[in-house]
């Protein structure tokens, strides 16, 4: 059964500088929470506080109501923390997984069974007798995760679990992680600087910037209604454009219509738009006038860069009519793939 | 009376190995505290250890002799000109070296390792034991360096032990004595045997060390 995590009025300082400030954050038992933020946002610090490896400078972090500052070893043993670097010990793979079980006084036969089951789940059982430090990066990540899961923790903390893996290994790793977590009701907190990783497993996502919580919401909310331009950029919106919301709700660039409407108060605003939400239309149709400055092939699309009233990146389907560098065109924004946000 | 060579050799091994074991217990413990714990005065203690590594053995011998001298503060213990007194001096010679190497070895481990072990549920004792295992090769090197330092020194052995035949004469003091008497052949023989002793013990430790290293990297 997963545990409930709660942070209340947490302030954490390092070297005299505040690196994390969380007024209130609850994670329900069994919930999968992702923390999304750029490097240096305070993500790892948040995990370290939850893992009870260091106490907060102020405020309270609790696991099922027990403060991490007072919980001691027993509390730490309910929380498994897989750090960004796998941190495997200089012994065999099997021994790496068995050792934390031995510290918990699990009988020898049972800990061997648990270790092998966890290694099998992560598809690294055949490496059980190999020296752990001789494995590849991807194999080490899997062993690190198997070691955490073998403990049957109430809380699993994952710090950039696929860091350093190539795209293919990353995808396979997350598929196996999904499967390993599927039949478990444990609370999971995963941090990542990549939106695709943060959104894929999460029930909710916390966006952390400069040590502050900018937004908490479901992956759907973050995708459709990012709180501001910083969050939108993190979520993966490729385009941020200064616009004006008119009194009738029309969103314009200069006087040119964007194809968007908004119920925000009239005045300056920012539009965040995914590259595949930018439509290129003929020069004589309503839209924002632009000139095509570059066309380059991408996977399943053509990446078209435009300049003019706005600078944008558009992903045009490969089957669309060819666009040429130097041509004039107009752009409109797809409302389903764009969001009107407050101007920063 | 000339003491049989094997007795001098056995005494040398006894004094230096005992001193190395005691110095390792002290040095590894102190080095661990200095490397891992946030103790007050850590910088000062580190400076003392570093200085201790460079102190000439003859100075250590002089200090220990002054302390153990019959009229000295520890004179009642009756340790001057005894094997136990020599062991004390050699402990003081080897311990700073072992402490310094231990400290460096633990500080060279991945900085996130202690937190990693804590987060895996290790209590304080389990954490320290695992750190030692992770640093086992340099810790063994520390013990080897301590033994080498102890077995090769002559200053404190002469001052604290007195080079008494049949009681406190060790290989190094025997070599000095034979040289001073012009018995160069005997001195060279003792020197060669001392070299073999050092080679055998260090070779034994080195083979354990290399076996550990090749396994970890294979």
């Amino acid at each position: 059964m997963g545990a409930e995590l709660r942070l209340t009025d947490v302030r954490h300082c390092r070297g005299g500088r505040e690196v994390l400030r969380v007024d209130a954050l609850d994670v329900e038992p069994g919930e999968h929470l992702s923390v999304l933020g750029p490097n240096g946002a305070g993500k790892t610090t948040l995990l370290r506080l939850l893992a009870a490896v260091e106490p907060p400078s102020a405020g309270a972090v609790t696991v099922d109501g027990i403060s991490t500052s007072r919980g001691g070893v027993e509390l730490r043993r309910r929380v498994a923390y897989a750090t960004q670097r796998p941190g495997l010990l200089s012994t065999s793979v099997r021994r790496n997984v068995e050792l934390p079980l031995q510290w918990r006084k699990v009988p020898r036969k049972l800990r061997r069974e648990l270790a092998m089951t966890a290694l099998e789940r992560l598809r690294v059982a055949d490496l059980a007798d190999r020296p752990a430090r001789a494995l590849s990066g991807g194999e080490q990540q899997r062993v690190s995760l198997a070691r955490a899961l073998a403990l049957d923790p109430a809380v699993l903390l994952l710090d950039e679990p696929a860091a350093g893996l190539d795209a293919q290994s990353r995808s396979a790793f997350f598929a196996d992680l999904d499967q390993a977590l599927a039949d478990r009701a444990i609370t999971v907190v995963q941090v990542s600087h990549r939106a695709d990783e943060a959104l894929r497993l999460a029930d909710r996502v916390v966006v952390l910037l400069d040590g502050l919580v900018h937004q908490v919401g479901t992956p759907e909310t973050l995708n459709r209604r990012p709180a501001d331009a910083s969050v939108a950029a993190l979520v993966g919106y490729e385009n941020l454009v200064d616009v004006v919301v008119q009194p009738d709700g029309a969103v314009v660039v200069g006087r040119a219509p964007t194809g968007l409407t908004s119920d925000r108060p009239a005045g300056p605003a920012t539009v965040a738009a995914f590259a595949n939400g930018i439509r290129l239309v003929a020069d004589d149709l309503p839209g924002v006038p632009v000139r095509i400055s570059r066309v380059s092939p991408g996977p399943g699309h053509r990446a078209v860069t435009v300049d003019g009233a706005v600078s944008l990146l558009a992903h045009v389907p490969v089957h669309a009519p060819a666009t040429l560098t130097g041509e004039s065109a107009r752009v409109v924004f797809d409302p389903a793939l764009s969001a009107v946000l407050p101007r920063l | 009376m000339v003491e049989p060579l094997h007795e001098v050799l056995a005494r040398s091994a006894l004094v230096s190995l005992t001193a190395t074991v005691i110095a390792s217990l002290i040095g590894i413990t102190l080095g661990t505290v200095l490397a891992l714990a946030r103790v007050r005065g850590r910088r000062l203690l580190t400076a003392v250890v570093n200085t201790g590594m460079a102190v000439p053995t003859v100075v250590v011998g002089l200090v220990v002799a002054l302390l153990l001298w019959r009229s000295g503060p520890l004179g009642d213990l009756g340790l001057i000109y005894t094997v136990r007194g020599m062991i004390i001096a050699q402990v003081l010679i080897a311990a700073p070296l072992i402490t310094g190497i231990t400290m460096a070895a633990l500080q060279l481990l991945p900085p996130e390792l202690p937190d990693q072990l804590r987060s895996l549920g290790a209590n304080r004792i389990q954490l320290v034991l695992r750190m030692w295992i992770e640093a086992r090769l340099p810790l063994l090197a520390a013990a080897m360096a301590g033994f080498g330092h102890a077995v090769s020194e002559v200053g404190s052995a002469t001052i604290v032990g007195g080079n008494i035949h049949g009681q406190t004469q060790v290989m190094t003091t025997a070599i000095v004595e034979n040289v001073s008497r012009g018995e160069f052949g005997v001195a060279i023989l003792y020197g060669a045997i001392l070299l073999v002793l050092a080679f055998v013990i260090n070779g034994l430790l080195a083979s354990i060390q290399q076996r550990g290293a090749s396994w970890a990297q294979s």
Side-chain angles (χ1 to χ4, degrees):
Chain A
M1 181 64 189
E4 180 201 49
L5 307 175
R6 178 166 290 172
L7 289 93
T8 313
D9 296 325
V10 167
R11 307 282 182 272
H12 197 64
C13 300
R14 199 165 286 141
R17 192 172 69 90
E18 188 174 273
V19 293
L20 185 69
R21 171 188 285 247
V22 181
D23 293 332
L25 179 65
D26 290 355
V27 189
E28 297 299 318
E31 184 178 3
H32 288 201
L33 182 83
S34 279
V35 181
L36 175 64
N39 292 338
K43 306 187 297 294
T44 298
T45 303
L46 176 63
L47 282 197
R48 288 170 59 81
L49 300 186
L50 289 171
V53 290
E54 62 179 311
S57 306
V61 180
T62 63
V63 177
D64 275 345
I66 301 165
S67 167
T68 53
S69 308
R70 287 193 289 270
V73 176
E74 289 313 310
L75 184 129
R76 272 194 276 121
R77 287 182 175 174
R78 298 190 62 209
V79 180
Y81 174 29
T83 52
Q84 189 171 353
R85 288 207 271 175
L88 299 184
L89 305 171
S90 58
T91 179
S92 71
V93 166
R94 191 206 321 264
R95 187 90 185 105
N96 261 278
V97 183
E98 282 185 19
L99 198 61
L101 294 164
Q102 186 182 329
W103 290 338
R104 288 160 172 79
K105 300 195 187 322
V106 175
R108 191 191 181 105
K109 197 178 166 198
L110 179 58
R111 67 174 184 252
R112 181 147 293 201
E113 274 175 32
L114 291 170
M116 288 312 294
T117 305
L119 290 170
E120 277 160 17
R121 279 190 174 208
L122 273 299
R123 301 189 206 200
V124 280
D126 55 323
L127 306 174
D129 295 320
R130 295 264 304 275
R133 297 251 177 99
L135 304 184
S136 71
E139 289 166 340
Q140 290 200 22
Q141 295 281 14
R142 285 166 185 271
V143 173
S144 170
L145 190 57
R147 181 171 64 179
L149 288 173
L151 302 172
D152 194 20
V155 179
L156 177 63
L157 306 174
L158 301 170
D159 190 353
E160 308 263 7
L165 301 189
D166 59 43
Q168 208 172 355
S169 311
R170 200 176 268 271
S171 169
F173 176 83
F174 277 107
D176 288 342
L177 177 61
D178 283 354
Q179 205 166 0
L181 294 176
D183 58 345
R184 291 166 185 255
I186 59 178
T187 307
V188 179
V189 180
Q190 179 201 335
V191 309
S192 179
H193 66 279
R194 293 173 60 119
D196 56 338
E197 288 175 8
L199 300 182
R200 62 173 289 159
L201 285 175
D203 298 318
R204 277 191 308 152
V205 181
V206 174
V207 179
L208 211 53
L209 286 162
D210 295 327
L212 299 172
V213 174
H214 268 233
Q215 188 171 4
V216 182
T218 62
E220 175 73 8
T221 306
L222 244 71
N223 256 328
R224 301 295 298 275
R225 294 192 300 279
D228 54 40
S230 312
V231 176
L234 263 177
V235 169
Y237 282 86
E238 289 94 345
N239 299 296
L240 294 170
V241 182
D242 286 344
V243 295
V244 174
V245 178
Q246 293 189 322
D248 63 357
V251 177
V252 296
V253 174
R255 288 169 174 250
T258 59
L260 299 173
T261 57
S262 171
D263 53 7
R264 300 194 71 82
T270 297
V271 163
F274 287 110
N276 57 354
I278 305 292
R279 305 273 177 261
L280 290 175
V281 296
D283 201 18
D284 54 353
L285 292 174
V288 182
V290 293
R291 182 172 295 275
I292 293 166
S293 59
R294 189 188 159 129
V295 181
S296 53
H301 63 258
R302 284 196 295 271
V304 179
T305 309
V306 301
D307 292 319
V310 288
S311 293
L312 295 168
L313 173 69
H315 286 173
V316 178
V318 282
H319 55 74
T323 37
L324 298 174
T325 303
E327 273 183 5
S328 294
R330 297 208 174 223
V331 294
V332 290
F333 295 76
D334 181 344
L337 294 167
S338 307
V340 183
L341 311 170
R343 177 83 63 91
L344 278 180
Chain B
M1 187 192 76
V2 177
E3 190 180 5
L5 189 147
H6 71 271
E7 287 185 16
V8 182
L9 183 63
R11 191 176 302 115
S12 264
L14 172 77
V15 170
S16 297
L17 282 173
T18 309
T20 303
V21 169
I22 297 170
S24 295
L25 291 174
I26 296 169
I28 291 175
T29 306
L30 186 58
T32 303
V33 170
L34 290 177
L36 301 181
R38 290 170 193 156
V39 288
R40 198 176 286 178
R42 187 176 141 182
R43 279 191 182 180
L44 182 67
L45 269 170
T46 306
V48 169
V49 168
N50 289 337
T51 308
M53 289 198 280
V55 171
T57 58
V58 71
V59 174
V60 176
L62 181 64
V63 172
V64 173
L66 289 173
L67 290 171
L68 299 182
W69 204 257
R70 285 185 182 85
S71 56
L74 302 175
D76 291 345
L77 298 174
L79 293 173
I80 191 76
Y81 301 142
T82 65
V83 163
R84 283 193 287 169
M86 293 165 74
I87 291 172
I88 291 171
Q90 290 200 356
V91 166
L92 292 175
I93 289 165
L97 195 66
I98 297 173
T99 305
I101 298 175
T102 299
M103 201 165 63
L106 294 176
Q107 286 171 339
L108 281 174
L109 289 173
E112 69 275 12
L113 185 63
D115 284 346
Q116 178 98 43
L117 294 172
R118 261 183 226 115
S119 71
L120 288 170
N123 61 30
R124 206 170 290 181
I125 293 168
Q126 289 163 340
L127 184 145
V128 168
L129 286 176
R130 192 65 222 179
M131 296 283 285
W132 285 349
I133 292 170
E134 291 299 306
R136 59 193 178 276
L137 302 182
L139 292 191
L140 208 53
M144 285 159 65
F147 174 75
H149 211 36
V151 80
S152 63
E153 75 82 28
V154 66
S156 79
T158 306
I159 298 174
V160 178
N163 192 32
I164 303 169
H165 290 207
Q167 289 181 36
T168 60
Q169 189 176 52
V170 289
M171 296 298 281
T172 50
T173 58
I175 291 168
V176 172
E177 184 188 312
N178 279 295
V179 169
S180 68
R181 278 204 259 135
E183 303 273 3
F184 289 103
V186 180
I188 290 168
L189 176 68
Y190 273 52
I193 291 169
L194 186 59
L195 266 177
V196 171
L197 173 71
F199 182 79
V200 167
I201 292 176
N202 277 311
L204 199 69
L205 292 172
S207 81
I208 297 169
Q209 192 190 39
Q210 290 313 311
R211 213 175 304 160
S214 62
W215 190 89
Q217 287 164 11
S218 63

